[in-house]
Amino acid sequence: MTEIERKFIELEKKKEKALILYFTAGFPSFEKSIEIIKKSAEKGTDLIEIGIPFSDPIADGPIIQYTSIKALENGINTDKCFKLASLLKNIINVPYLFMSYFNPIYKYGIEKFADRCVESGVSGLIIPDLPYEESFEIKKILKERNINLIYFLTPYTSQERTKKIVRKANGFIYFISIAGVTGPRESLSPETIQSLKRIKKIRKISVALGFGISNKEQIKKVKKYVDGIIIGSFFLKKIIDGKIGEFEELIVEFKKELKTY
Amino acid sequence: MLPDRKGKFGIFGGKFAPETLIEPLEQLEIAYKKISKTKEFKERLNYLLKEYAGRPTPLYFAENFSKFLGFKVYLKREDLVFTGAHKINNTLGQVLLAKMMGKTRIIAETGAGQHGVATATVCALLNIKCEVYMGEIDVERQKLNVYRMKLLGAKVIPVNSGSKTLKDAINEAMRDWIANFKTTHYVIGSVVGPHPYPMIVRNFQSVIGKETKKQIIEKERRLPDFLLACVGGGSNSIGLFHPFYKYKNVKFIGIEAGGTGINTDKHAATLSKGQKGVLHGSFSYILQDNYGQIKATHSISAGLDYPGVGPEHSFYKETKRAEYFAVNDQIALKGFHILSELEGIIPALESAHPIGWLIENKKKFKKSDIVVVCLSGRGDKDVMEVAKIEGEL
């Protein structure tokens, strides 16, 4: 069992849903991104997703594009991301994952990348441009090291494909709530809720909902269908705007909403 | 025939796309396979290629240039096709396909604006809404094409992310497609992107090679010894090469943009200097740094200024079916001038690359050799730029 799977079990016992936050490594700076991650863990974040910036993030909206380019300009690179992760080991006690596009991982060397994940306490990988069909080799390498490769699903994924992916998934499923790229949005579609119900019928697997979550009302509506929510752009925007106080309050507020007892 | 079921050419290609794109890509593949085989589609496309775009284009024996070089050179005159470049072969096919799929909106990316103009042209003809993503820097340096697209009724959307050029325009178009695929078809302009795009674009561009084969047999009663074309993303070259794939005596030579030199960091010679990796949805050669970040590129020719290349070219390189070389800006300019002076044909700077390479490497050829060069576009669009570089304006 991985740190991530253990976390979901622990939360289930406590009748809580996971609050998963995304941060871009090296944004606004190497030191500040550590500080922000530390703060968010203290305020109740259950899992941290750390983005390794990529020059061409096709699955991300304007906010994550902006933070990625800024971080790269600040000199972040894959080795520094591992350094950042290693430092977190002694600073926070919640599991953390890496989010990276496939090319930086491939270029680094998949095995070497996986070994460094182990050393630096990274317990899962999210690769937005690596589809299920291309994932078998890397999944095997990660599995040998007790690291989860997180699969994606969308409301438009065909039923047959959904079944295939759900059966092979581990850690949790990253469910993309509406068609589109990352960024805050106002409402959730009926298709989303239907697909979420479908997944649960196939197998007992944790599902985290991402892409477009920005307020408490949304959380209230969806929490009964999922095991966690992922928020990226919405909080990054607060950081870009320098609203750190508001950022901390919102974590507390959202986490409270995710308690179901 | 390649690609295989997973969209692979050997190890290259594939579908390295976000899960949100998998369903649209599958729908596109199914629709393409079904619709492109119908009599209705074929007849309509052939009609438009002939009556609207002006195909077949001549395979012109360049007598003066041949004498200058010492062996026979034929030019496949894609510069004479409507809108002035081969791009329209693909946009006619894709927009027609989109119409028959019931899509109501077309999006495209463009670098220099050639593909954008070719898309906007066909959208005007077929009466479908068109929006073109273009990097802010390109919008600035290609004002004339921006205005052309507006005249044709298309909306040009400036992209201010990343390097603000072609690759960022592709990123933005993909993001749009992810959000709007139900109503929208994304017309990619080259043999790049996730499967099935490299296959679809290749098939629509193969008209170049098919015509060439027929024409050269009529004129020479035999196949050529060499096929030459420029390679940016690689659509005119694949279009020329692919129908000759099984004729192993016909050698393929692709010429990339060497910019200020392939040992500087200002070039776009992806196959010559790149390494394997994933960009824009397919596994291919790409220009990247040690951490896998995509590098900025440079070429005098905007159409070749791209850090990736079609996966089928990577496959040709790996299996040694084709050879790839790069020439720098200066040699391309030399080709630009010599062809203009000897034949009265001003080539696009893209097409001037293989012309320049031939001049520099003429000693490698025998007197009896027959070489076909794809003259992928006309040079009018580049005249101002060249005049500026040479201090004439």
Side-chain angles (χ1 to χ4, degrees):
Chain A
M1 194 181 291
T2 66
E3 292 285 319
I4 297 165
E5 289 159 340
R6 204 169 290 137
K7 186 72 181 185
F8 275 103
I9 290 172
E10 174 200 318
L11 288 169
E12 199 187 346
K13 277 186 193 149
K14 292 200 292 187
K15 291 194 164 56
E16 287 179 24
K17 308 282 172 153
L19 178 63
I20 306 168
L21 294 195
Y22 166 92
F23 299 100
T24 302
F27 180 84
S29 68
F30 185 87
E31 289 75 21
K32 286 232 172 78
S33 58
I34 294 178
E35 245 173 69
I36 290 165
I37 290 168
K38 178 170 176 269
K39 221 13 142 219
S40 78
E42 285 168 7
K43 294 289 170 187
T45 305
D46 298 301
L47 279 165
I48 310 266
E49 187 191 328
I50 302 162
I52 298 180
F54 182 50
S55 53
D56 294 78
I58 52 169
D60 287 300
I63 293 169
I64 294 178
Q65 287 172 52
Y66 173 82
T67 56
S68 300
I69 297 297
K70 283 286 164 206
L72 286 169
E73 284 170 6
N74 291 344
I76 196 80
N77 59 40
T78 315
D79 284 319
K80 286 184 188 168
C81 290
F82 280 119
K83 193 178 163 207
L84 188 147
S86 310
L87 291 169
L88 288 179
K89 245 182 175 177
N90 305 318
I91 298 176
I92 61 173
N93 57 4
V94 300
Y96 44 95
L97 308 85
F98 266 159
M99 189 289 239
S100 172
Y101 283 82
F102 185 58
N103 199 54
I105 299 173
Y106 178 79
K107 188 72 177 67
Y108 203 82
I110 294 174
E111 293 216 14
K112 186 178 156 201
F113 192 95
D115 286 339
R116 301 236 32 208
C117 283
V118 175
E119 286 163 31
S120 47
V122 175
S123 46
L125 257 185
I126 299 173
I127 312 175
D129 60 346
L130 188 75
Y132 171 75
E133 288 76 8
E134 300 288 349
S135 69
F136 308 131
E137 186 197 343
I138 184 162
K139 189 164 184 252
K140 185 171 166 274
I141 291 169
L142 292 172
K143 200 175 176 192
E144 287 162 5
R145 291 160 178 80
N146 202 31
I147 297 168
N148 289 141
L149 177 65
I150 307 302
Y151 284 143
F152 285 88
L153 283 175
T154 83
Y156 301 114
T157 308
S158 70
Q159 298 206 22
E160 194 191 333
R161 190 177 163 80
T162 300
K163 263 186 209 158
K164 244 183 352 192
I165 294 176
V166 170
R167 287 194 183 122
K168 296 282 179 193
N170 61 22
F172 63 91
I173 281 173
Y174 193 137
F175 193 90
I176 303 166
S177 60
I178 77 160
V181 293
T182 57
R185 280 185 192 84
E186 284 314 309
S187 64
L188 292 170
S189 71
E191 286 135 317
T192 301
I193 291 169
Q194 208 169 34
S195 317
L196 289 168
K197 285 181 182 165
R198 203 180 295 140
I199 295 169
K200 290 292 183 182
K201 275 185 201 152
I202 299 167
R203 191 183 136 211
K204 184 175 157 44
I205 174 99
S206 306
V207 178
L209 184 69
F211 287 42
I213 295 158
S214 57
N215 61 56
K216 231 169 50 176
E217 283 62 42
Q218 282 178 319
I219 296 173
K220 199 174 279 177
K221 277 186 217 153
V222 299
K223 63 181 177 188
K224 63 179 168 194
Y225 305 110
V226 299
D227 307 285
I229 58 161
I230 304 167
I231 307 179
S233 300
F234 177 69
F235 278 119
L236 279 181
K237 187 72 175 59
K238 301 281 171 216
I239 296 168
I240 294 169
D241 295 342
K243 296 177 180 164
I244 300 293
E246 199 180 313
F247 160 85
E248 291 172 18
E249 279 168 29
L250 280 166
I251 293 176
V252 176
E253 203 177 287
F254 284 9
K255 183 60 208 180
K256 208 169 126 196
E257 194 58 54
L258 287 164
K259 291 177 180 168
T260 57
Y261 43 83
Chain B
M1 187 175 354
L2 293 174
D4 65 16
R5 253 176 353 110
K6 285 172 86 183
K8 295 276 177 84
F9 304 88
I11 58 168
F12 300 102
K15 217 183 262 180
F16 290 84
E19 184 60 31
T20 36
L21 267 184
I22 298 296
E23 188 57 26
L25 288 168
E26 259 157 38
Q27 284 179 14
L28 175 62
E29 185 177 354
I30 291 165
Y32 170 74
K33 285 192 169 151
K34 209 171 109 192
I35 294 170
S36 68
K37 282 192 192 114
T38 61
K39 198 171 160 232
E40 189 195 351
F41 180 86
K42 282 189 203 164
E43 280 180 2
R44 185 101 177 106
L45 180 60
N46 286 338
Y47 173 82
L48 291 172
L49 284 171
K50 183 168 175 260
E51 302 292 333
Y52 186 71
R55 301 205 73 92
T57 57
L59 182 69
Y60 166 71
F61 174 53
E63 207 177 336
N64 300 335
F65 189 46
S66 296
K67 260 184 208 148
F68 173 80
L69 293 171
F71 50 89
K72 273 186 167 173
V73 177
Y74 283 86
L75 302 176
K76 180 59 176 162
R77 298 290 306 272
E78 292 303 296
D79 59 321
L80 293 179
V81 82
F82 182 45
T83 69
H86 70 291
K87 293 288 182 190
I88 198 161
N89 302 332
N90 170 46
T91 59
L92 272 172
Q94 283 202 49
V95 178
L96 196 59
L97 175 69
K99 280 284 267 198
M100 289 175 77
M101 285 172 77
K103 304 289 178 188
T104 55
R105 178 175 172 259
I106 295 292
I107 54 169
E109 84 292 341
T110 197
Q114 295 307 107
H115 173 59
V117 169
T119 307
T121 301
V122 178
C123 288
L125 174 72
L126 299 179
N127 189 25
I128 186 166
K129 193 176 163 191
C130 176
E131 294 180 25
V132 180
Y133 287 94
M134 191 170 184
E136 252 179 14
I137 290 176
D138 292 331
V139 169
E140 193 47 45
R141 56 184 181 191
Q142 304 287 341
K143 281 186 184 149
L144 200 60
N145 274 339
V146 173
Y147 183 59
R148 257 188 205 129
M149 287 184 263
K150 281 184 187 162
L151 274 178
L152 295 162
K155 185 177 162 197
V156 176
I157 306 170
V159 175
N160 66 5
S161 56
S163 61
K164 303 179 173 59
T165 58
L166 176 61
K167 77 175 177 72
D168 310 284
I170 295 178
N171 292 338
E172 215 47 45
M174 280 199 180
R175 291 183 188 112
D176 182 317
W177 199 41
I178 287 172
N180 301 302
F181 73 88
K182 283 184 174 173
T183 58
T184 301
H185 174 67
Y186 173 26
V187 179
I188 286 189
S190 193
V191 286
V192 300
H195 179 65
Y197 277 110
M199 173 185 76
I200 292 177
V201 178
R202 174 198 72 194
N203 291 352
F204 288 141
Q205 289 295 357
S206 288
V207 67
I208 302 173
K210 284 179 192 160
E211 285 177 7
T212 301
K213 200 170 120 199
K214 206 171 145 226
Q215 290 164 323
I216 197 75
I217 287 172
E218 273 169 22
K219 289 172 202 287
E220 293 285 346
R221 309 255 163 248
R222 71 171 179 95
L223 293 176
D225 301 292
F226 295 93
L227 300 178
L228 230 80
C230 62
V231 181
S235 70
N236 87 86
S237 42
I238 281 289
L240 176 66
F241 295 170
H242 185 258
F244 291 90
Y245 182 75
K246 64 178 177 188
Y247 305 104
K248 304 289 174 189
N249 292 331
V250 181
K251 296 189 179 68
F252 302 166
I253 298 175
I255 306 298
E256 297 190 298
T260 59
I262 57 169
N263 295 320
T264 68
D265 58 1
K266 292 180 103 181
H267 63 79
T270 310
L271 288 159
S272 308
K273 296 292 279 187
Q275 296 150 322
K276 290 169 198 152
V278 170
L279 174 66
H280 294 146
S282 68
F283 184 72
S284 194
Y285 278 86
I286 56 177
L287 290 170
Q288 55 182 325
D289 71 11
N290 291 337
Y291 287 106
Q293 304 291 341
I294 307 306
K295 274 190 183 171
T297 53
H298 163 83
S299 168
I300 190 169
S301 136
L304 303 180
D305 206 349
Y306 179 63
V309 68
E312 197 163 3
H313 281 294
S314 293
F315 173 70
Y316 283 3
K317 177 189 160 84
E318 201 82 346
T319 55
K320 301 196 161 56
R321 181 63 188 90
E323 277 191 283
Y324 297 89
F325 303 99
V327 296
N328 63 28
D329 293 346
Q330 290 311 315
I331 293 170
L333 278 173
K334 192 170 166 189
F336 183 82
H337 281 288
I338 287 183
L339 199 70
S340 301
E341 286 160 25
L342 291 180
E343 296 288 347
I345 297 170
I346 303 172
L349 280 173
E350 290 79 8
S351 325
H353 281 74
I355 299 289
W357 184 85
L358 258 189
I359 297 166
E360 291 295 300
N361 294 277
K362 61 181 180 188
K363 289 198 178 121
K364 288 184 181 160
F365 296 86
K366 293 197 299 281
K367 194 165 176 272
S368 59
D369 282 340
I370 297 174
V371 180
V372 173
V373 182
C374 187
L375 206 75
S376 57
R378 54 193 278 172
D380 304 49
K381 68 177 177 68
D382 298 315
V383 169
M384 279 279 268
E385 181 69 17
V386 174
K388 262 188 224 159
I389 291 168
E390 296 179 344
E392 299 279 338
L393 275 180

